[in-house]
Amino acid sequence: GEGPGEEAGYNPLFLDDPEIRVAKDRTVMKQESYVFSCIPFVKPHLVKEQLNQLFLAKHGDWIDASEMTLSKLRGLKGAMVDAVLAVEAEVATAALAHVLLEKLVLRNLVKKSSRKVTAAVCVVLAFKMNEVPRSPAVAAMQEGLDRQQPADASLVVWCRTQQGEARPLPSDLTARVHALRPHDEATSSSSSLRWRHTSERHYLVASFTDSKAAAAAKHAINGRPCGPDGHGLLGVAEFVPELGRGARRCSVSELLLALHAKLGVDRRAVLDQEFATFVELEMALHVPAEELLPHWRRILDSLDTTPNAYLGPDSPSLLEAEAACALPASH
């Protein structure tokens, strides 16, 4: 039959409702200052049957139980996460893949015989959408990092008003960055400092010999007056991830190998199905945050971590750095 589609908008909690879990047979006991519940041991195959029955009770009016069950859906989503993590891609990529898969299920376009290939295609599409920087400002900043000589720490430096608005980087702040770097033959060359700009907004990416030197430079720049008069403008320096050194740059070929290992799908079958699935998704791979974030948080929870622990308090992503710089995207 016809699925519910998305006439009322996609709800990330509708299909795979986190409230669908084995809990209806629990015993709840209330004490004077607390409440606790006891869930009896249930054999795995009985848990699976119960979950599928709850899923069918909610969606049985439109979904074909012979084609899709909750255990199949959650099994696919778990394997998708495993493949993404195997190539050290972002958890957000797995979350986007989950959104794409659920949208196909809601349209009754995922069949039992081809569900693993469809799930793999969703991961590939999400990978192509999410793992490549789409903003020119982010791409320029990443290029600035990649082209520098290896160092143990890097800073992105820019200038702002006291109200937080970004301004072109003044020459005295550039000179200050040069002065803070060690003056030896290996590091004093100006080629190690890369200008990157978008429109009239400029910022500088500088690599230092070690994290201690970078931290000292950050302290010497952050919040200090700069500009011709030394009034009204403040220097800003933030750490940025060293993408050129430690991060793996996974290719689609590596991802396909991981998908073969986790889902048992053939590379050619995934590539043959990719465009057809792209069309079934109406070529709409960009999803709003309210659709993506519930999946992202749920995946992190399954990995026994938190958003703060995953992102790291002292390591803003390039997207966060771009937002802090208030750099507009070029058109």
Side-chain angles (χ1 to χ4, degrees):
E2 291 294 326
E6 297 175 70
E7 291 78 5
Y10 169 73
N11 180 352
L13 303 179
F14 171 71
L15 182 62
D16 185 2
D17 186 348
E19 293 301 316
I20 299 181
R21 56 185 186 270
V22 181
K24 71 176 186 178
D25 294 326
R26 66 184 177 180
T27 300
V28 178
M29 303 186 70
K30 297 182 179 180
Q31 300 296 329
E32 184 175 346
S33 59
Y34 59 92
V35 177
F36 67 92
S37 60
C38 299
I39 301 176
F41 172 77
V42 182
K43 292 183 178 179
H45 74 278
L46 295 177
V47 172
K48 180 178 176 180
E49 290 178 6
Q50 184 180 2
L51 288 173
N52 289 335
Q53 288 171 2
L54 293 171
F55 182 74
L56 189 61
K58 181 176 181 179
H59 302 299
D61 58 330
W62 63 270
I63 200 168
D64 186 349
S66 66
E67 299 289 353
M68 182 57 63
T69 62
L70 183 60
S71 59
K72 288 187 179 72
L73 178 61
R74 290 182 175 175
L76 289 174
K77 292 165 75 174
M80 294 160 80
V81 171
D82 289 344
V84 168
L85 296 180
V87 297
E88 300 180 18
E90 293 288 337
V91 169
T93 298
L96 176 56
H98 285 186
V99 173
L100 301 181
L101 178 65
E102 287 198 358
K103 288 185 175 183
L104 293 172
V105 173
L106 289 169
R107 298 170 189 173
N108 265 331
L109 295 174
V110 180
K111 305 302 179 184
K112 179 180 178 180
S113 59
S114 59
R115 68 186 188 279
K116 293 184 178 180
V117 172
T118 301
V121 171
C122 289
V123 175
V124 171
L125 291 174
F127 179 86
K128 291 181 177 180
M129 179 67 181
N130 196 59
E131 295 291 332
V132 178
R134 295 175 299 285
S135 165
V138 175
M141 192 180 294
Q142 181 173 336
E143 180 188 355
L145 288 171
D146 290 344
R147 292 179 58 185
Q148 295 188 69
Q149 296 299 317
D152 291 332
S154 295
L155 294 177
V156 57
V157 181
W158 71 97
C159 183
R160 65 173 177 84
T161 65
Q162 293 185 356
Q163 290 72 37
E165 297 178 358
R167 289 291 183 265
L169 200 65
S171 58
D172 69 307
L173 186 53
T174 308
R176 193 184 309 171
V177 175
H178 276 280
L180 290 167
R181 292 173 54 77
H183 292 284
D184 58 41
E185 184 178 353
T187 60
S188 63
S189 171
S190 62
S191 64
S192 60
L193 299 177
R194 300 286 181 180
W195 280 101
R196 292 294 175 265
H197 63 86
T198 300
S199 185
E200 296 180 353
R201 307 276 176 93
H202 300 269
Y203 57 91
L204 187 66
V205 176
S207 291
F208 291 79
T209 54
D210 53 47
S211 58
K212 184 177 180 180
K218 182 176 183 291
H219 178 73
I221 295 170
N222 241 351
R224 305 299 175 90
C226 62
D229 303 323
H231 299 290
L233 295 179
L234 300 175
V236 183
E238 294 292 346
F239 289 106
V240 293
E242 299 180 68
L243 299 180
R245 299 196 68 193
R248 293 186 68 236
R249 299 295 181 84
C250 171
S251 65
V252 174
S253 296
E254 290 178 286
L255 179 62
L256 289 169
L257 288 174
L259 289 168
H260 174 72
K262 303 300 181 182
L263 284 166
V265 293
D266 178 70
R267 169 195 178 102
R268 177 50 55 189
V270 174
L271 295 177
D272 287 346
Q273 182 63 28
E274 182 179 2
F275 185 73
T277 301
F278 186 40
V279 172
E280 290 174 340
L281 289 165
E282 299 176 355
M283 301 185 181
L285 300 184
H286 176 75
V287 302
E290 58 267 24
E291 295 182 5
L292 184 72
L293 287 177
H295 290 280
W296 182 73
R297 294 191 183 99
R298 196 167 171 182
I299 293 171
L300 291 180
D301 186 58
S302 72
L303 298 174
D304 197 25
T305 188
T306 64
N308 285 341
Y310 175 73
L311 294 174
D314 299 321
S315 299
S317 68
L318 288 178
L319 290 176
E320 291 171 318
E322 182 197 33
C325 292
L327 292 172
S330 294
H331 298 287

